[in-house]
Every structure is written in structure tokens, then in C-alpha cells.
Amino acid sequence: MGKYLLKRLLHGAFSAICVVLIVMILIYSLLDRSTILAGDPNYSKIQSNARVSYEQSRYETFGYTDYVPYSDYITQLARDGEIDDETRSSAVLLGRTPDRDSEISAEYVAKFTEYYTSRGYTITRLDADTKSNGQVKSGGQTALFATRDKPLINRAITYFTNMLFIDNIHYVPDEVDIGKRGLTFTLYDPVKNPEGSDKKVFSPAIIGNGTLHKYLLYIDGTFPYIHQNLLTLNLGESYTVNRGTDVFTTMTDSQGSYVLKPTTFPTGLKEDSADDLHTATYSAGAREGNSVYADRFTDDYANVRTYKTGMSKLGFSFVIGIISTILAYFLGLPIGLLMALRKDKLIDKIGTIYIMFIIAVPSLAYIFLFKSVGGKLFGLPTLFNVDSKDKWMFVLPIISLALPSIANLMKWMRRYMIDQMNSDYVKFARSGGLSEGEIFTKHIWKNAAIPIVHGIPGSIIFAMTGAIITERVYSVPGAGNLLTQAINKYDNSVIVGVTLFYAVLSVISLILGDILMSTVDPRISFSTKGR
Amino acid sequence: MEEKIKELGLSEEELFAPVDHSLAESEKITAPRYSYWKSVFRVFFRNKVNIVILGLLVFMILFAYIYPTLVEYDPYANLLDPNSKHLSPSAAMAYFGRNIHWILGAGASGEPTFDAIWNGSRISISLAIICGAINMTVGVLVGAVWGFSKKVDAFMMEVYNIVGNVPTILIISVLAMLFSPTFWTMVFALTVVGWIGIAYFIRTQVIIIRDREYNLASRCLGTSTVKIAMKNILPFMTSVIVTLLATEIPSYISYEVFLAYIGMGMSDMSLGRLIYAAEGAMVTPGWEFEFWSPVAIASVITVVLYVVGQNLGDASDPRTHM
């Protein structure tokens, strides 16, 4: 069994990698990249050469290309200590045309060209755009840059190698003086035991210096109580949907308005704040020139997440999804059973009409129907409000999600039951003198439930990815719309991240389904070879 | 006894004349000739409900195709008339006069809702039928090969596992952005990966039937694979294929509505686009007709298609022909 599972998992991982590759080809190679500029308000304001440079820098931020402007190259040289400040300032100035470059800049332009051409970049030089009187137009300064389309294989390899981030004490660049690097273990978490407090609160924590996260392991009052930051998942950084945040964080971060709590900052400053000090991450030079940070933090671990009232995207989707899934199983299976037992009677006919309605009618139509019926006749809230504590707003989305799955389960349960009822072993059991009740509970039901059981892990896992239409219609801030949102906003890394997330979930749910099926039915075995 | 024979008034020879015995004649089966499709339709039309629903379906399709060609429909004809927008049926009829165009009121740019929904139905039904035809043809053919060959099976399972995990919405939106979102782009987007699900379904069905005893016997007798496929398996599959078709065609209409609603639909004013465009009208008192009429017509079309298909699928199962 273990060997088989390992094989399945590897197989699943292979499929997931292929899916990511296909998605990368789709979005990075096939799509016209200039569409990202269509909705960009800055783009239309910039003119001439600056516009071309801006275009290139946007392509880089959206992950299409590598883009190095000449000035960045010179600055990098200066930073590495290869050239002094004086050379830098004269080398960075470009003439209006190549032959009007100064000697020193011509030298570095040649170096720049050679260095990046050898690495497969294309060098573009745009001569100064001048008006008829010889003045340079606004944005028309000479531009020189190197660009290169990111090769698919490189992109995929970097994506997968960067996916798991293990926090280490060399995260902060070595030249930064951050004090003694290392991990310290404490039994008294400094967040809960600010300096000067009288009683000590026992709360173990691992604190890092030189790492990305300050608190690598800590305990607090929110689920799942023990939190770790040693290993973080990096599915892709969002650019437009939730700027600068990882896809996974976007899905799991709480939403809504801030929750203010009395907080004592490391400097001893006390105020009501929504900052969650446990989530502090390193942000280079945070305190320099920012008095808000300087007043509160004693080191550069100043980038914190905040406490918010609402659940995360996954949380909302999961709560709605899981309740509707449970409802569906508790209602769909018994009704399906009853339909099979009373075949061709009234209840079977009503059930069939209901199943037909759900399958045939576009889902959009019946969700809108539920919405208007629920809103007008029962006075239920039809729109979601993240900050509200009202439990009633969950009712309509749950019903809208549950009713179609009930129909689906009813359909299959009825089908499997009727198939089993007509099989030979049932006739044999009847001729052997078993009562109908015994046949039913000991034979038919057990056999009919096997294919149903296979789908249970999948429906639980996919409860958290949310449903596109339901969440849109009721404006639920869930995870279902993340993919469509990312597609509409050209947020390429989010598209890749979400797709990978879905692919992994579907692989896991299939494997779990198989395991569950083989535990329920001992006849099904994956470890022995088929006869 | 003898008296009774005398009553018949026949001579002894006539009563016991030997009958000619023909070998060829004795081979003939006297049962009525069985035609598969005739039986299918006999069973289908035996249920009176089916006749009504089929009539409704034919009427709707004909209406959707003929009505828009008879009337000139220009959605922007009344664009400049501020009084013509968002009219309820009674207001529209009072404003434009009593005729069939205005029985469902007027839409956001003063267009007759009735004309708009039939125009939209024509586009949606065309889309569904074309996509259904392409996907079913490719899916059934590939599925048959997939089910028969073990080598193809191993390869296709990989393809299925991978392609099945690429979100369809993504493929459709990429294609819609690559080409302009026209009707034919939509057909391409829905068919480029749509066939694979059908092929997988058919594959499973073929595998179930392929290893049945009668096929094993047939193979032992030396029947060629093509003949087994055509004569032994295809007849079994007919009802499955018809039932599948019954769920597929309406599902394209529903899917188009869904795509249009999330803003990834085509540019033509199909039913989905009409629903999407009128979403805001749902909650505005007096404008409800704009929203609910395309929703209702889409539902009616899909339900009718589904019911006809399901019942035809039931009728095409030879076990119901008794």
C-alpha cells in the first residue's frame, strides 16, 4: 500500500508540474502581453522614449521579461565597488546619439552591450527624441536597456525551487549589520511579556535574528494555536489582485476592518493597535526616515500583518462549502434511498423532476431564483458583509450551494441502489429467507455506498476553493473568484499559483478517495496486482 | 365426431391433403420485422408527454431561427430616445403601440426584449448544437479507440489527468484574448478540450462492454476488432450516447451563460450576454422583465432539450422495446 501511494503521489506531482507548464505556456507565450498596458492610467500619460522604457519595466513586473536599464547596470557596478562615484556619474550620462557619447560612457556602453548580449539579452538604444528646435521632448531622453524573454524552462525551475522557503539566519544580506545572527529559544514570549510587566506569562517561542520572520515558532490564541514560520509556501507573488502578497497568504489572510487591541510595542510604546507582532518580518531600513516604525520597533523586523474582523478567503469559502456539503450528504443520500425504495411512486417522480430541474436549468438561473425568493419571501440578507456578525447572511449561499449537490447525490444514490436491487445476490438473499430490512441494511446499502464514498474527500477538499457564481451573486469574499479576478487583471503569478493549488488539491482528493474506498470495501485493494 | 366432419361438407381428400414441404420456407422467421430506429420512435411516441415536449422543442427552435430573420432587429434603434429605456410591458406597449415586439417590455437601450431574447436564443442554440456535434463526434471516436487499445489508454490517461487539471476558464479566457471573443472563438474554446471528458466517459463504457463474455466468444470465433466495435459494441452504446448528448447540449447553453456572467463570454448578444447585461435590472422595480425573460427562456430551452434527450435515450435502449 505504501509503495502504491508513493507511486500515486509521484504521479500526481508529475501531473501538477505539467499543468503548471501548460498554464505558463498559455499565459506567458500565447497571450498578447500589451493588454496589461491597456488599463494602465500611467501609460497614456508618458510620452516618447520614457513610454518604451515604462512598457519594458511593466513587462518585467508582470513576469514576462528580464529588463535591465543601463543606469541600473552602472549603479550595480558602483555598488560592487568596481567603479568610483565620479566615474559612475559621468558614465551614466548618455549622449543624444551614440556618436555623441562621452569617451567614458562609450566605454561602459560597450561593456554593457557585451555583457548582456553574451547572456542572450537584446540591447535596445533609443536616441533622444527632439523637437524641431533641438530641445529634448518630455520623456524623450536617450534610453538604453537590455531585455530578454524569460525562457519557459528557467521560469518553471525557479518557480518550483522557490516554492518552499526555509527561513534561515542568512536571509538578511550579510553586509547588513543586524547584530548577532542566530535562533534563540525562550519560554517567555516577549510579545506577551513586554519589558516592565510584573507577572510572567509562560509561552515558548523561537526567535530568529537574521531570518525573514522574527518569530519562527510561537503560540497564540488563534487557530491552530501553534504557529510556525520556518517553512513557508511561496506560490507566486501577486501584482494586481493583492499587491506584493503571496497567493497563499492572499487566500489565508483575514479580511474586513481592523481589530484594535491594547498592544505594547518593543520600544515600550503602548497603544491600541491591530498589529500582530508575531508576524513581524524583516524589512530593510524600515526605521530609517519612518518615525512610525522608529517609535515602535527596536529592530528592522517591522513589517507586520494585522488582526481583522473577518475570516480569510479560504475560511469563508470553507465554512459555506463544508456546511453545504454536510447538508447535501445528510439530505441527498436518504432522499436518494427513499426514491429507490419507492421507485415509480410519487416521491420518486417529484425527486426526478427536481434532479432534472437542477441539471438542465443554467446554475445562474436557479441561484438568482433562490436569491430573489430567499430575499423577498423570507427576508434573508442577499448580500454578504464581511464585518457583520450576522449569521443569517450565510444561509442563502449555503442553500444555493447545497441544493445542486443534493440533486447530484440523489441522482447517483438512486442509480446505484436500483442497480444493486436488481442484482443476483439480492434475489439469492431473498430466496434464502432474509427479510427485506436485512437485505437492505446488510447488503444493498453497503454496496451502493462504495462509489459514493469515493467522492467524499473531494467534496470536502473542494469545499474550500469556493464556487464562482455563488460567491459572485452573494458577494461573498471567498476564494472562488480569485482565479477569474486574476485572469481579468492579468495577474500572471496568481493564475499560476491558484492553478497549482487546485491541481494539487484534486490529486490529493483522488488519492484520499481511493484510500477511503479501499478501507470501506476490503475487496478493493491497490497493493496486490489485478488478476 | 364424424357427424361434425360431415357438417363441414368436405370430402375426405380435402380434409387430409398433404402440404408441400419447402426447406427454404421453413428457415423464415414469421415474427414481424424488427427495425431498431422504428422501435425507438414507437417507444418514444408511446408517451404522450414526449409528443408535447418534442412539439415545444421544435416550435422553439424554429421560432428562434425564423423569427429573427423575419423582423429587423436593431438593438440600438431607439438609443437616442430617452423615454424608450427600461419600459415594463404595459408601458412599452403604450409607448410603441400594441405588437408582439413589446410584450416583454424594453431593455436598457430601448430595444424590444422579446426580439432580443429570440436573437440571443438563436446564437445560444447554434453554439450548443455546433459544440455538441464537434465534441460528441471527436469524443466518441477517440473514446472508442481509447477504450480498445491498452497503449492508447496509458497515454490518454496521462493527457486526461493533465488537461483535466488546467482550469477551463483559463483556457477559454486565453483563447478569447488571443483571438477576438467572437462566436467561432467560443466554439473553438469550448471544443478544444471539451471532447476529452466525453472521450473519457465513452472509454469507460467501452471497457465495461469490451470484456463481456459474448465479446470474448466473438473474438474466439475470429471476428475482427472493427466488426466487434461496429456490430457488438456500438449498438450497446447508442442509448448511452443519446443520453450523453441530452446532457451535453443543454450544458453548453448553461456554460455559455456562466461564462458571460463572469465576463468571459463572446461579443454576440447571446442569452448569457443578455443576462449579464441585465443583471442590475433584477433588483430594480419595474425592470425585472429584462432580466427574468432571458433567464426563463434559457431555462425552458435547456429543460426541453434535456427532457427530449433523456426520453429519447431511454427509448433507444433496446430493453424498453418489449
Side-chain angles (χ1 to χ4, degrees):
Chain A
M1 191 75 183
K3 205 173 161 193
Y4 171 79
L5 277 184
L6 190 71
K7 204 178 132 201
R8 282 286 297 269
L9 277 173
L10 287 177
H11 218 88
F14 170 75
S15 306
I17 290 172
C18 288
V19 168
V20 167
L21 282 177
I22 291 178
V23 170
M24 280 181 169
I25 294 174
L26 280 177
I27 57 180
Y28 289 110
S29 320
L30 289 180
L31 272 191
D32 181 11
R33 58 184 68 165
S34 62
T35 43
I36 58 167
L37 299 164
D40 191 335
N42 293 331
Y43 182 65
S44 51
K45 287 181 198 150
I46 306 171
Q47 299 296 321
S48 186
N49 291 350
R51 192 171 186 164
V52 180
S53 311
Y54 181 72
E55 210 174 279
Q56 293 299 333
S57 69
R58 297 301 285 173
Y59 290 157
E60 193 190 28
T61 30
F62 277 83
Y64 289 106
T65 54
D66 290 320
Y67 162 71
V68 188
Y70 175 65
S71 54
D72 281 11
Y73 170 72
I74 296 294
T75 319
Q76 186 59 40
L77 284 184
R79 198 177 293 154
D80 293 347
E82 282 184 36
I83 52 174
D84 53 35
D85 225 27
E86 208 178 313
T87 336
R88 189 194 68 85
S89 50
S90 50
V92 82
L93 294 173
L94 290 169
R96 288 188 183 183
T97 51
D99 45 289
R100 288 170 72 177
D101 280 349
S102 68
E103 211 168 282
I104 189 152
S105 35
E107 184 195 330
Y108 281 100
V109 168
K111 272 190 188 170
F112 172 76
T113 313
E114 193 200 49
Y115 181 74
Y116 281 106
T117 324
S118 66
R119 287 160 167 255
Y121 283 74
T122 321
I123 312 289
T124 314
R125 181 174 179 137
L126 300 167
D127 290 338
D129 197 3
T130 49
K131 294 181 193 165
S132 50
N133 62 5
Q135 272 185 325
V136 176
K137 283 185 195 169
S138 110
Q141 288 83 0
T142 314
L144 176 64
F145 53 81
T147 51
R148 166 178 81 165
D149 273 12
K150 278 191 183 163
L152 178 72
I153 295 300
N154 285 11
R155 188 197 297 282
I157 291 172
T158 11
Y159 182 73
F160 285 111
T161 47
N162 292 343
M163 200 156 64
L164 282 181
F165 172 72
I166 301 169
D167 212 345
N168 57 68
I169 53 170
H170 298 292
Y171 172 79
V172 177
D174 283 336
E175 58 268 21
V176 179
D177 177 29
I178 193 167
K180 192 174 171 295
R181 285 162 194 268
L183 303 178
T184 40
F185 177 74
T186 168
L187 287 173
Y188 301 98
D189 190 343
V191 171
K192 294 185 183 171
N193 301 289
E195 265 176 61
S197 66
D198 322 321
K199 59 173 187 204
K200 289 228 164 194
V201 183
F202 176 76
S203 168
I206 295 178
I207 298 169
N209 197 24
T211 47
L212 169 65
H213 296 92
K214 184 167 184 181
Y215 292 89
L216 296 169
L217 198 71
Y218 61 92
I219 295 173
D220 72 5
T222 52
F223 184 80
Y225 309 111
I226 299 175
H227 303 264
Q228 64 90 24
N229 282 323
L230 279 166
L231 193 69
T232 38
L233 197 59
N234 190 5
L235 287 178
E237 193 175 283
S238 160
Y239 190 72
T240 41
V241 171
N242 192 356
R243 187 169 184 153
T245 316
D246 186 71
V247 178
F248 195 67
T249 322
T250 309
M251 285 197 244
T252 49
D253 233 7
S254 56
Q255 309 168 83
S257 50
Y258 295 120
V259 183
L260 300 180
K261 292 179 180 179
T263 313
T264 314
F265 284 94
T267 49
L269 181 85
K270 283 185 188 172
E271 70 172 350
D272 283 348
S273 164
D275 288 353
D276 181 3
L277 294 178
H278 278 130
T279 58
T281 52
Y282 180 74
S283 146
R287 286 172 303 158
E288 265 174 48
N290 187 335
S291 61
V292 177
Y293 285 145
D295 288 348
R296 285 169 178 75
F297 295 97
T298 50
D299 48 22
D300 280 340
Y301 287 95
N303 191 8
V304 290
R305 294 211 229 156
T306 43
Y307 291 115
K308 286 181 184 157
T309 46
M311 276 182 282
S312 64
K313 283 183 189 296
L314 277 187
F316 274 121
S317 292
F318 193 66
V319 167
I320 292 173
I322 201 76
I323 297 177
S324 64
T325 310
I326 293 171
L327 249 169
Y329 277 94
F330 273 94
L331 288 177
L333 296 187
I335 297 176
L337 281 177
L338 212 64
M339 280 171 73
L341 282 179
R342 307 255 188 286
K343 192 166 174 282
D344 295 329
K345 300 268 171 54
L346 185 66
I347 183 164
D348 188 30
K349 283 185 177 146
I350 295 173
T352 315
I353 291 174
Y354 171 66
I355 294 170
M356 187 202 75
F357 174 80
I358 294 289
I359 294 179
V361 173
S363 51
L364 191 71
Y366 61 71
I367 290 178
F368 272 121
L369 193 69
F370 296 153
K371 183 178 179 178
S372 65
V373 169
K376 291 213 177 98
L377 295 185
F378 299 99
L380 291 165
T382 52
L383 286 177
F384 222 77
N385 179 5
V386 189
D387 293 329
S388 163
K389 288 269 175 255
D390 187 9
K391 293 278 180 281
W392 288 105
M393 66 188 179
F394 283 95
V395 172
L396 279 178
I398 288 172
I399 292 178
S400 300
L401 268 186
L403 288 180
S405 5
I406 290 175
N408 198 32
L409 282 168
M410 273 160 65
K411 181 179 81 179
W412 288 113
M413 197 63 212
R414 177 180 178 275
R415 176 83 268 138
Y416 294 138
M417 286 299 292
I418 288 176
D419 284 354
Q420 293 294 331
M421 278 151 82
N422 291 333
S423 55
D424 292 340
Y425 75 89
V426 173
K427 287 174 197 152
F428 181 74
R430 198 169 288 140
S431 67
L434 269 70
S435 74
E436 286 298 314
E438 263 178 314
I439 297 175
F440 193 76
T441 49
K442 289 193 177 159
H443 297 273
I444 305 182
W445 155 248
K446 282 186 179 172
N447 279 303
I450 293 163
I452 300 278
V453 157
H454 188 256
I456 293 178
S459 37
I460 293 172
I461 287 180
F462 276 92
M464 69 179 154
T465 61
I468 297 179
I469 292 194
T470 314
E471 291 186 1
R472 251 181 129 95
V473 169
Y474 298 105
S475 71
V476 178
N481 267 319
L482 201 57
L483 184 64
T484 46
Q485 224 175 16
I487 292 172
N488 285 334
K489 291 181 173 174
Y490 313 107
D491 202 339
N492 296 330
S493 42
V494 173
I495 299 177
V496 175
V498 173
T499 313
L500 178 68
F501 185 66
Y502 287 176
V504 169
L505 287 188
S506 90
V507 166
I508 293 175
S509 57
L510 273 183
I511 296 177
L512 285 182
D514 283 350
I515 295 175
L516 194 64
M517 197 165 71
S518 68
T519 25
V520 171
D521 183 3
R523 288 172 301 180
I524 300 170
S525 157
F526 293 109
S527 43
T528 47
K529 284 233 165 190
R531 278 152 291 165
Chain B
M1 184 68 192
E2 277 187 16
E3 278 171 19
K4 278 188 180 170
I5 293 172
K6 275 176 190 158
E7 272 173 29
L8 287 169
L10 295 167
S11 65
E12 202 91 329
E13 287 84 52
E14 266 179 286
L15 273 174
F16 301 106
V19 177
D20 272 350
H21 175 70
S22 141
L23 265 175
E25 203 69 16
S26 69
E27 285 297 306
K28 276 187 185 159
I29 297 167
T30 47
R33 276 183 66 83
Y34 174 78
S35 155
Y36 174 69
W37 287 107
K38 215 183 248 175
S39 306
V40 169
F41 287 110
R42 187 173 47 83
V43 172
F44 182 75
F45 288 117
R46 201 157 55 192
N47 191 344
K48 294 287 169 284
V49 178
N50 286 345
I51 300 176
V52 175
I53 293 177
L54 186 69
L56 188 61
L57 175 67
V58 171
F59 171 76
M60 287 187 94
I61 292 180
L62 286 181
F63 199 77
Y65 279 89
I66 294 171
Y67 178 72
T69 59
L70 294 182
V71 294
E72 204 152 297
Y73 170 62
D74 176 10
Y76 304 114
N78 299 325
L79 195 60
L80 296 174
D81 183 353
N83 297 327
S84 70
K85 281 153 197 156
H86 297 302
L87 294 178
S88 69
S90 53
M93 286 210 266
Y95 188 74
F96 290 102
R98 286 188 181 276
N99 61 38
I100 194 166
H101 304 290
W102 305 102
I103 56 170
L104 292 175
S109 46
E111 80 278 15
T113 309
F114 187 74
D115 293 7
I117 59 172
W118 286 108
N119 217 34
S121 310
R122 187 176 51 89
I123 298 168
S124 289
I125 294 175
S126 307
L127 182 85
I129 290 176
I130 293 172
C131 289
I134 296 175
N135 278 345
M136 285 302 286
T137 317
V138 178
V140 169
L141 289 179
V142 173
V145 179
W146 186 352
F148 263 107
S149 158
K150 289 227 163 66
K151 273 183 201 154
V152 176
D153 186 38
F155 173 74
M156 284 302 289
M157 278 314 287
E158 288 299 318
V159 175
Y160 178 73
N161 280 339
I162 293 164
V163 176
N165 276 325
V166 179
T168 325
I169 306 170
L170 183 65
I171 295 175
I172 288 171
S173 63
V174 166
L175 289 173
M177 281 184 224
L178 261 184
F179 316 104
S180 53
T182 58
F183 179 81
W184 289 107
T185 310
M186 209 60 191
V187 170
F188 181 63
L190 286 175
T191 50
V192 69
V193 289
W195 57 270
I196 201 160
I198 297 170
Y200 181 71
F201 182 81
I202 297 290
R203 168 229 177 229
T204 318
Q205 298 295 321
V206 169
I207 286 181
I208 293 172
I209 303 170
R210 184 189 67 185
D211 293 335
R212 292 248 176 107
E213 284 81 356
Y214 76 97
N215 278 322
L216 202 67
S218 195
R219 192 165 300 137
C220 291
L221 289 170
T223 319
S224 70
T225 313
V226 177
K227 201 171 175 188
I228 291 183
M230 297 306 294
K231 297 273 172 188
N232 292 6
I233 293 178
L234 194 68
F236 244 105
M237 304 288 291
T238 322
S239 78
V240 173
I241 293 173
V242 175
T243 315
L244 188 61
L245 198 64
T247 40
E248 280 297 315
I249 291 187
S251 81
Y252 292 114
I253 297 181
S254 310
Y255 201 63
E256 195 273 325
V257 171
F258 162 71
L259 284 175
Y261 179 67
I262 59 172
M264 285 169 192
M266 53 182 158
S267 48
D268 303 9
M269 286 314 270
S270 62
L271 282 177
R273 273 296 297 268
L274 287 173
I275 295 172
Y276 174 62
E279 196 204 337
M282 185 186 103
V283 286
T284 319
W287 296 8
E288 293 95 342
F289 267 90
E290 275 172 60
F291 176 79
W292 287 109
S293 32
V295 170
I297 209 81
S299 313
V300 172
I301 291 176
T302 47
V303 167
V304 168
L305 272 170
Y306 179 77
V307 173
V308 169
Q310 283 296 323
N311 290 348
L312 201 59
D314 284 350
S316 59
D317 185 351
R319 276 170 291 192
T320 62
H321 291 183
M322 292 302 136

